[in-house]
């Protein structure tokens, strides 16, 4: 499939990709340009492809109206902890489900897979009650504990399991002969080989945590504690109307760093996933 | 963990290799398993418990009513329409999402200058704020909006996208697909790159054309990924409702009221938590059955299995 | 050495992260009020009022908790269901009946009348109607904002139609003439009249038009559907004609924003004046709603604030509410939220706080509107009723709709819910 294309095919392919790109890029473009428009120009119809007037003060206002830097830090550190935690939890569980024989492992795997099946709206009320009982409302614990140990990490465990299943057994056998225990085999042999799969898990987990919306709204109540997706909804004028330009400036600042990381990491990411094979 | 494994092997025969392995296994899965029990199973049991009650949150009434909510489920005249809408939405979403993701993945797997830029741009909606995304699309889909404006230029009179039962459903599906197809695209792209190049060489020697190569080699080789992404996408499709709430509020009529949106309305907007919990259980059963069926079918769909 | 570095790192982390809940002194009373505004000017004002309360109640502190408007009711419901209701909460008018009738809120009348200088009689009877049950007040309407029409005279004059100001001068400001002006604008290629936030979904906002026909969605006791009654049929027929025959109003799926300057008129609450463009503004005006078959009328939108009966500090919460809405603080609130107190309904008070409006506009639109305005329709279990009506009413928004038949079908589907 991956042959060098003839120049004519190449041009056709570029053309096709550009046309397909329109619905993907236009909303992002609108978000970017609207973030520097005065609010009265945002809903101009038809939408302007290029702002008629520029108003860059929106970006400064984002920081004046909300503790946005603080909220940025909240989102960043929560996503970082969740990503690291999920990598640990899911690589261990994935390794055990793939490589260790123990009674009821299949049953337990099925139980874990249940986590994939439940929308968060379904369990939000009982979870709220539980975290209230533990005194964790308006702390970041629910946003860390649930993703690391609960339903969102199951996909990661699944990916890790698929990776470890495909790993050749000879390396482990050799290590066992050398007298290494399970933990050392996992830590010194299996895990270093799993870097590509871990990379994929890291990106998916980070994105999930970064974009989490319902849970922060339910669990957090003071602006100092808010995360970014939640903070985006907080830019309103004196009468509760949304200050769209400022909101979109904040949304732009939320999206750009992730896109930059994606550009830098996408090669490793894609290759990482490619190596896992993700076999059903 | 380290404590366990670093304990010197005792001479007692109790700690056989198999037993030590089993203990390690349980320890390794313990965090995940306990998490699932605490944050999924117990809450789910509580939801089931709520579903046996009439619970009006505001009035603070919580009365045991047995199976009454389940009888209400059977008698709910809106439910058949809701289930039908959910089925149409999910099937449409999965088919469109998977085929577009595969098409994009194949296109982006080519050796081209600047392909990284294209990949990033196709992926970008995944990280764009949902709020911004839906505002723009509700603009474009208006009767006098951007899409109909473009159609008018080529002499076609476009439909009133969000107000016509058929096109409203198509619209919410398409908006959702564009937002999230990037994730599946990346999974497919990875799968395509994982296909050994030698297979294509061999096929070319045998004189197979591009299409035949795709059908005979590519598709079977990436079939595990197709299965995985289809499970994720179907399960995900049953959980979408934010866009529906913004774009159509479930209308016109009830045509875009899918199950999770209906559930959300009953529990959080109408304050019928008991009935909302019953609908949650229904949703859970549907998702579980679908996933089970797909998992069972994997041997027939998937080309190789470990 | 290493340990101390580690220790201080953890201490720093604990401070800069949100892993510990804020702690308070033991015997202090901490009240929590959920609000849907995150505006800093609002918060500053509320904090100022809270400080004032603290001066005489040093052990009480009040935290204002902004929740995004779209998720307000969901979040509040989750908190209540989870056993952690706030002590005080803003309540949307559409949910008023649910909250007032549920018994979730603490009664206020006695505490308020006992508060020194409160002057309960000053609070407009009309404004509190929605928030009472059996003569007992359960939430205070801190915002009573009249609906009015914002006008873009540039657009109307360009289309060659009569402006509302001209029609008012001729004593001919009726819906017939208003629709005629809007139709002329519509035919000129611009948009005639937009009912803001209606979007063919939030149908209760149409009350700002149909009240001119004396139409109501249901009977005064809320038990009987009156969508199919003659006043509503007449009103909806006129509206339907204005949309689909005359092009006076944009059709379904055409969401147009007045404040971008391409629209003749819009019906909305006066607080939206803040959206008027500041750079190269158009020639705008603010006029009361036109008169209809039943004469002149006014409509207001409201927001209330109540105290939860289940709160362990309910007495303090009610006391704070009494303080927050006393005459002095009501004047502070009036800079953002039109007040329900007769003593504040004068051009002087309102003019100081609404600098964009002329004295005449304040007199005609704001004061008259609040004094005799009817509130938007509300009902127990409104969310479900709203959805049911919305779903049936969708059939009306097509060019060839049979208006009486559709309205009858609305009653058929919503009737059983109302009768419950």
């Amino acid at each position: 499939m991956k042959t060098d294309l003839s120049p004519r095919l190449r041009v056709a392919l570029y053309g096709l990709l550009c046309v397909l790109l329109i619905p993907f890029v236009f909303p992002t473009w609108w978000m970017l340009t609207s973030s520097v428009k005065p609010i009265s120009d945002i809903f101009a119809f038809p939408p302007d492809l290029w702002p008629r007037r520029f108003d860059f003060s929106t970006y400064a206002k984002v920081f004046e109206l909300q503790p946005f830097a603080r909220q940025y830090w909240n989102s960043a550190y929560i996503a970082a902890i969740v990503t690291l935690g999920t990598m640990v939890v899911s690589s261990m569980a994935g390794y055990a489900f793939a490589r260790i024989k123990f009674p009821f492992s299949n049953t337990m795997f099925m139980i874990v897979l249940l986590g994939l099946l439940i929308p968060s709206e379904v369990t939000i009320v009982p979870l709220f009650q539980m975290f209230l009982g533990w005194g964790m409302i308006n702390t970041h614990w629910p946003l860390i504990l649930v993703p690391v140990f609960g339903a969102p990490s199951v996909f990661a465990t699944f990916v890790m399991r698929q990776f470890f299943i495909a790993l050749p057994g000879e390396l482990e056998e050799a290590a066992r002969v050398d007298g290494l225990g399970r933990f050392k085999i996992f830590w010194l042999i299996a895990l270093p080989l799993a870097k590509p799969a871990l990379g994929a898990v890291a990106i998916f987990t980070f994105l999930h945590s970064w974009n989490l919306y319902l849970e922060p709204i339910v669990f957090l109540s003071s602006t100092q504690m808010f995360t970014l997706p939640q903070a985006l909804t907080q830019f309103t004028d004196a009468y509760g109307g949304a200050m769209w330009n400022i909101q979109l400036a904040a949304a732009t600042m939320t999206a750009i760093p992730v896109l930059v990381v994606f550009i830098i990491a996408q090669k490793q990411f894609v290759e990482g996933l490619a190596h896992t094979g993700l076999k059903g | 963990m380290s404590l366990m494994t670093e304990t010197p092997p005792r001479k007692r025969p109790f700690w056989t290799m198999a037993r030590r392995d089993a203990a390690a296994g349980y320890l390794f899965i313990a965090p995940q398993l306990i998490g699932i029990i605490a944050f999924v199973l117990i809450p789910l049991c509580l939801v089931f418990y709520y579903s046996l009650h009439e619970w009006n949150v505001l009035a603070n009434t919580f009365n045991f009513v047995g199976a009454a909510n389940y009888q209400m489920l059977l008698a709910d005249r809106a439910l058949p329409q809701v289930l039908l809408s959910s089925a149409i939405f999910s099937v449409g979403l999965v088919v469109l999402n998977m085929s577009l993701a595969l098409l994009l993945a194949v296109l982006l797997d080519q050796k081209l200058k600047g392909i990284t830029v294209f990949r990033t741009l196709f992926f970008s909606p995944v990280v764009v704020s949902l709020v911004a995304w839906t505002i723009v699309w509700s603009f474009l889909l208006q009767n006098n909006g951007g899409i109909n404006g473009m159609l008018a230029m080529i002499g076609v009179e476009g439909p009133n996208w969000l107000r016509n039962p058929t096109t409203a459903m198509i619209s919410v599906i398409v908006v959702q697909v564009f937002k999230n197809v990037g994730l599946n695209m990346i999974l497919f792209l990875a799968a395509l790159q994982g296909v050994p190049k030698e297979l294509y060489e061999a096929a070319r020697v045998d004189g197979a054309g591009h299409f035949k190569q795709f059908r005979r080699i590519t598709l079977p080789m990436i079939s595990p990924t197709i299965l995985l992404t289809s499970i994720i996408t179907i399960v995900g499709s049953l959980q979408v409702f934010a866009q529906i709430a913004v774009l159509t509020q479930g209308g016109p009529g009830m045509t875009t009221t899918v199950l999770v949106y209906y559930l959300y309305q009953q529990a959080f907007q109408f304050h019928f938590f008991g009935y909302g919990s019953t609908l949650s259980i229904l949703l859970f059963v549907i998702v579980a059955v679908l996933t089970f069926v797909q998992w069972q079918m994997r041997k027939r769909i998937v080309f190789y299995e470990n | 050495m290493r340990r101390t570095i580690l220790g201080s790192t953890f201490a720093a982390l604990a401070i800069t992260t949100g892993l510990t809940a804020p702690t308070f002194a033991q015997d202090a009373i901490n009240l929590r009020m959920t609000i849907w505004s995150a505006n800093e000017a609002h918060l500053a004002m509320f904090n100022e009022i809270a400080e004032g309360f603290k001066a005489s109640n040093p052990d009480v502190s009040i935290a204002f908790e902004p929740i995004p408007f779209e998720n307000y009711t969901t979040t509040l419901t989750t908190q209540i269901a989870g056993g952690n209701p706030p002590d005080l909460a803003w309540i949307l008018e559409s949910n008023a009946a649910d909250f007032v009738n549920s018994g979730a809120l603490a009664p206020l009348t006695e505490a308020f009348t006992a508060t020194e200088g409160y002057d309960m009689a000053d609070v407009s009877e009309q404004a509190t109607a929605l928030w009472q049950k059996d003569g007992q007040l359960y939430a205070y309407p801190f915002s009573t904002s009249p609906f009015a029409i914002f006008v873009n005279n540039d657009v109307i004059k360009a289309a060659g139609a009569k402006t509302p100001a001209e029609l008012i001068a001729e004593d001919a400001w009726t819906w017939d003439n208003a629709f005629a002006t809007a139709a002329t604008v519509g035919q000129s290629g611009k948009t005639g009249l937009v009912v803001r936030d209606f979007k063919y979904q939030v149908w209760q906002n149409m009350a700002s038009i149909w009240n001119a026909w004396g139409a109501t969605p249901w009977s005064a006791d809320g038990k009987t559907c009156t969508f199919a009654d003659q006043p509503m049929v007449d009103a909806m027929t006129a509206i339907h004609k204005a949309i689909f025959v005359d092009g006076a109003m944009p059709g379904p799926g055409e969401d147009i924003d007045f404040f971008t300057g391409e629209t003749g008129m819009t019906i909305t609450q006066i607080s939206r004046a803040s959206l008027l463009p500041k750079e190269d503004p158009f020639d705008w005006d603010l006029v009361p709603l036109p008169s209809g078959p039943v004469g002149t009328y006014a409509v207001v939108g409201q927001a209330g604030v109540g105290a939860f009966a289940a709160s362990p500090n309910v007495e303090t919460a009610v006391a704070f509410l009494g303080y927050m809405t006393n005459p002095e603080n009501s004047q502070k609130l009036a800079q953002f939220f039109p007040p329900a107190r007769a003593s504040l309904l004068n051009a002087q008070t309102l003019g100081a706080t609404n600098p964009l409006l002329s004295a005449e506009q304040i007199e005609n639109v704001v004061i008259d509107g609040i004094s005799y305005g009817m509130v938007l329709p509300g009902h127990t279990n409104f969310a479900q009723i709203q959805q049911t009506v919305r779903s049936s009413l969708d059939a009306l928004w097509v060019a060839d709709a049979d208006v009486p038949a559709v309205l009858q079908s609305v009653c058929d589907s919503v009737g059983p819910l109302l009768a419950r």
Side-chain angles (χ1 to χ4, degrees):
Chain A
M1 291 295 279
K2 242 175 120 180
T3 46
D4 286 315
L5 300 166
S6 70
R8 203 192 288 167
L9 250 174
R10 199 173 287 220
V11 171
L13 187 59
Y14 275 127
L16 181 60
L17 283 175
C18 287
V19 171
L20 282 172
L21 259 185
I22 294 171
F24 289 84
V25 170
F26 181 77
T28 317
W29 178 252
W30 182 85
M31 175 178 83
L32 273 172
T33 53
S34 296
S35 71
V36 292
K37 287 178 192 169
I39 191 155
S40 50
D41 286 3
I42 286 188
F43 292 104
F45 198 87
D48 300 317
L49 280 179
W50 188 255
R52 291 180 222 178
R53 292 172 287 193
F54 285 89
D55 177 6
F56 289 100
S57 68
T58 50
Y59 282 82
K61 288 219 186 85
V62 167
F63 292 91
E64 285 165 25
L65 297 177
Q66 288 283 312
F68 195 70
R70 172 78 205 219
Q71 292 160 344
Y72 220 105
W73 161 248
N74 288 345
S75 266
Y77 100 84
I78 292 174
I81 294 184
V82 166
T83 307
L84 276 176
T86 304
M87 285 161 75
V88 173
V89 168
S90 66
S91 60
M92 277 174 27
Y95 177 80
F97 283 131
R99 312 292 305 189
I100 306 181
K101 286 198 178 67
F102 55 97
F104 305 112
S105 69
N106 267 331
T107 320
M108 290 181 187
F109 186 56
M110 286 296 143
I111 292 175
V112 167
L113 279 188
L114 276 183
L116 269 183
L117 310 184
I118 306 196
S120 48
E121 284 78 24
V122 167
T123 51
I124 195 86
V125 169
L127 283 177
F128 183 87
Q129 290 176 324
M130 286 165 56
F131 284 108
L132 181 70
W134 297 335
M136 290 180 180
I137 295 304
N138 202 23
T139 73
H140 292 145
W141 283 111
L143 309 183
I144 292 171
L145 292 179
V146 174
V148 171
F149 297 102
S153 63
V154 172
F155 177 67
T157 297
F158 191 77
V159 170
M160 294 310 296
R161 172 186 176 264
Q162 300 315 108
F163 176 84
F164 286 124
I165 276 183
L167 214 60
E170 295 85 28
L171 287 169
E172 286 190 356
E173 291 309 316
R176 297 210 105 165
V177 172
D178 291 350
L180 275 119
R182 264 298 173 194
F183 184 75
K184 283 201 167 154
I185 295 177
F186 167 70
W187 185 248
L188 297 175
I189 298 180
L191 210 52
L193 289 171
K195 271 185 199 146
L198 279 171
V201 162
I203 291 204
F204 270 102
T205 312
F206 186 88
L207 277 178
H208 181 268
S209 173
W210 190 257
N211 290 330
L212 208 59
Y213 182 65
L214 177 74
E215 288 81 356
I217 285 179
V218 168
F219 289 120
L220 303 179
S221 54
S222 54
T223 41
Q224 288 288 328
M225 306 292 280
F226 282 2
T227 61
L228 288 176
Q230 187 180 14
L232 293 186
T233 64
Q234 299 283 315
F235 297 99
T236 55
D237 63 24
Y239 304 100
M243 299 158 95
W244 289 114
N245 47 354
I246 299 174
Q247 183 168 333
L248 292 170
T252 305
M253 284 190 273
T254 308
I256 296 294
V258 186
L259 279 183
V260 171
V261 171
F262 180 81
I263 294 172
I264 298 166
Q266 64 95 23
K267 193 155 176 280
Q268 284 85 350
F269 179 40
V270 171
E271 280 170 9
L273 278 169
H275 288 295
T276 69
L278 283 177
K279 298 176 186 76
Chain B
M1 221 63 48
S2 54
L3 253 180
M4 163 66 216
T5 41
E6 274 161 332
T7 316
R10 308 206 177 141
K11 294 298 167 208
R12 277 186 291 159
F14 178 80
W15 283 107
T16 59
M17 194 68 142
R19 281 210 167 116
R20 281 212 323 229
D21 247 16
Y26 288 126
L27 270 176
F28 272 48
I29 64 162
Q32 174 86 86
L33 193 66
I34 293 170
I36 292 298
I37 291 171
F39 301 134
V40 178
L41 278 189
I42 293 177
L44 195 63
C45 293
L46 283 169
V47 169
F48 179 70
Y49 174 73
Y50 302 155
S51 77
L52 302 175
H53 292 76
E54 196 238 301
W55 183 7
N56 187 320
V57 175
L58 281 187
N60 201 18
T61 50
F62 190 73
N63 305 315
F64 183 78
V65 291
N69 281 325
Y70 289 87
Q71 284 161 356
M72 197 158 130
L73 195 70
L74 295 176
D76 189 338
R77 280 192 301 166
L79 200 57
Q81 165 75 56
V82 169
L83 291 176
L84 180 68
S85 301
S86 303
I88 296 173
F89 179 78
S90 291
V91 170
L93 183 81
V94 171
V95 170
L96 192 64
N97 190 329
M98 304 281 289
S99 23
L100 186 60
L102 193 53
L103 172 71
L104 289 177
V106 169
L107 293 179
L108 294 175
D109 191 31
Q110 307 302 326
K111 260 194 216 158
L112 270 185
K113 269 221 177 81
I115 204 78
T116 312
V117 178
F118 279 106
R119 284 180 192 168
T120 308
L121 290 175
F122 279 112
F123 186 77
S124 63
V126 175
V127 298
V128 167
S129 113
L130 189 67
V131 181
W133 187 256
T134 28
I135 296 173
V136 179
W137 279 100
S138 61
F139 255 133
L140 294 174
L141 289 166
Q142 278 176 34
N143 199 18
N144 52 353
I147 291 172
N148 282 352
M150 273 191 272
L151 287 177
M153 275 193 278
I154 53 166
V156 180
E157 194 191 335
N160 196 349
W161 293 96
L162 294 173
R163 302 297 306 186
N164 168 305
T166 317
T167 54
M169 181 58 95
I170 295 172
S171 304
V172 291
I173 291 173
V174 168
V175 171
Q176 176 65 19
V177 166
F178 285 146
K179 176 85 172 75
N180 276 337
V181 73
L183 281 177
N184 281 351
M185 173 192 88
I186 291 293
L187 288 173
F188 279 133
L189 193 55
L192 289 176
Q193 302 200 341
V195 178
K197 307 285 168 285
E198 306 78 47
L199 290 176
Y200 294 120
E201 304 283 331
R204 251 195 305 276
V205 171
D206 291 349
H210 274 293
F211 182 71
K212 205 165 185 183
Q213 286 179 33
F214 183 75
R215 213 166 49 98
R216 292 283 173 78
I217 300 172
T218 313
L219 273 185
M221 289 304 286
I222 66 168
S223 55
T225 305
I226 296 179
L227 177 80
L228 176 73
T229 46
S230 72
I231 291 182
I232 299 171
T233 313
I234 288 187
V235 171
S237 77
L238 288 164
Q239 308 182 0
V240 170
F241 82 109
Q243 275 103 323
I244 292 180
V246 174
L247 290 176
T248 65
Q249 289 203 348
M254 296 271 284
T255 43
T256 55
T257 305
V258 298
L259 187 54
V260 68
Y261 186 60
Y262 189 60
L263 176 167
Y264 174 81
Q265 280 186 332
Q266 293 285 341
F268 290 103
Q269 295 193 310
F270 307 166
H271 306 304
F272 301 145
F273 256 85
Y275 190 53
S277 302
T278 313
L279 290 167
S280 300
I281 298 293
L282 175 70
L283 177 63
F284 170 68
V285 170
I286 291 175
V287 178
V289 168
L290 277 181
T291 313
F292 180 76
V293 169
Q294 271 181 304
W295 192 249
Q296 289 307 308
M297 275 164 52
R298 75 190 192 279
K299 293 196 176 67
R300 297 177 57 187
I301 304 171
V302 174
F303 173 68
Y304 59 92
E305 168 71 3
N306 304 285
Chain C
M1 186 60 201
R2 199 165 157 208
R3 182 156 296 174
T4 43
I5 291 172
L6 217 70
S8 47
T9 313
F10 274 121
L13 266 179
I15 295 164
T16 50
T17 60
L19 296 179
T20 44
T23 47
F24 299 101
Q26 273 297 301
D27 41 350
I29 296 177
N30 301 292
L31 298 178
R32 196 162 64 87
M33 181 192 285
T34 53
I35 60 181
W36 58 73
S37 164
N39 183 268
E40 54 172 349
H42 290 183
L43 288 170
M45 177 188 68
F46 283 117
N47 282 324
E48 188 193 323
I49 295 176
E51 282 306 310
F53 186 69
K54 209 174 167 164
S56 48
N57 302 272
D59 52 345
V60 180
S61 59
I62 298 119
F64 299 93
E65 185 179 314
I67 297 172
F69 184 79
E70 300 79 46
N71 299 83
Y72 186 77
T73 312
T74 305
T75 311
L76 190 56
T77 311
T78 307
Q79 292 188 357
I80 300 169
N84 185 36
D87 303 286
L88 300 131
W90 287 10
I91 298 163
L92 286 122
E93 82 202 304
S94 51
N95 287 327
D98 280 334
F99 277 87
V100 168
N101 293 325
S102 66
L105 299 176
L108 304 173
T109 310
E110 266 171 53
F112 281 7
T113 23
T115 306
E116 205 184 299
Y118 194 84
D119 192 9
M120 194 71 180
D122 188 33
V123 182
S124 146
E125 191 67 25
Q126 190 112 12
T128 52
L130 185 64
W131 310 90
Q132 301 193 20
K133 192 177 78 171
D134 307 328
Q136 178 71 254
L137 191 66
Y138 284 91
Y140 180 89
F142 69 94
S143 173
T144 299
S145 184
F147 282 84
I149 294 190
F150 280 94
V151 182
N152 185 333
N153 282 327
D154 291 342
V155 167
I156 292 180
K157 282 177 187 155
K162 278 195 176 173
T163 65
E166 288 164 354
L167 289 167
I168 291 171
E170 293 168 23
D171 204 12
W173 183 229
T174 62
W175 269 113
D176 284 349
N177 291 332
F179 278 147
T181 292
T184 313
V185 174
Q187 279 143 24
S188 77
K190 305 266 174 160
T191 309
L193 169 73
V194 173
V195 181
R196 193 176 173 84
D197 299 326
F198 163 51
K199 297 179 178 176
Y200 291 82
Q201 287 170 337
V202 189
W203 53 264
Q204 63 268 30
N205 280 4
M206 292 303 253
S208 54
I209 300 180
W210 74 46
N211 275 4
W213 277 259
T216 54
W218 38 76
S219 56
D221 66 358
K223 297 276 184 212
T224 323
C225 174
T226 56
F227 262 102
D229 291 6
Q230 202 55 46
M232 185 63 89
V233 173
D234 292 344
M236 284 299 202
T237 307
I239 294 169
H240 191 270
K241 178 169 169 287
I243 298 166
F244 292 99
V245 181
D246 301 335
M249 296 162 77
E254 296 173 22
D255 191 15
I256 287 157
D257 189 79
F258 169 82
F259 295 99
T260 57
E262 304 291 305
T263 306
M265 296 178 278
T266 192
I267 301 179
T268 187
Q269 284 167 289
I270 54 153
S271 43
R272 295 284 147 213
S274 61
L275 293 176
L276 287 162
K278 282 153 199 82
E279 290 158 48
D280 55 87
F282 49 79
D283 173 18
W284 66 274
D285 195 1
L286 178 73
V287 296
L289 297 169
S291 63
V294 295
T296 56
Y297 70 105
V299 178
V300 295
Q302 288 193 311
V305 55
F308 281 91
S311 156
N313 302 312
V314 61
E315 276 169 36
T316 318
V318 171
F320 175 67
L321 210 51
Y323 177 77
M324 191 181 115
T325 60
N326 70 19
E328 188 195 338
N329 286 323
S330 288
Q331 183 145 11
K332 283 184 195 152
L333 291 172
Q335 51 183 310
F336 300 111
F337 310 108
R341 282 181 175 273
S343 61
L344 295 176
L345 288 181
N346 54 62
Q348 205 188 351
T349 311
L350 295 170
T353 55
N354 293 285
L356 283 172
L357 307 186
S358 70
E360 197 190 353
Q361 287 168 336
I362 287 176
E363 189 67 45
N364 293 342
V365 181
V366 188
I367 296 178
D368 283 7
I370 298 176
S371 310
Y372 59 92
M374 292 172 67
V375 295
L376 291 181
H379 200 283
T380 310
N381 208 356
F382 186 74
Q384 191 180 20
I385 290 166
Q386 208 283 341
Q387 276 299 318
T388 310
V389 173
R390 200 271 304 142
S391 163
S392 306
L393 216 48
D394 278 343
L396 189 65
W397 311 124
V398 291
D400 54 353
D402 178 349
V403 177
V406 172
L407 292 175
Q408 187 55 53
S409 81
V410 171
C411 273
D412 291 345
S413 57
V414 82
L417 291 176
L418 296 172
R420 261 212 312 247

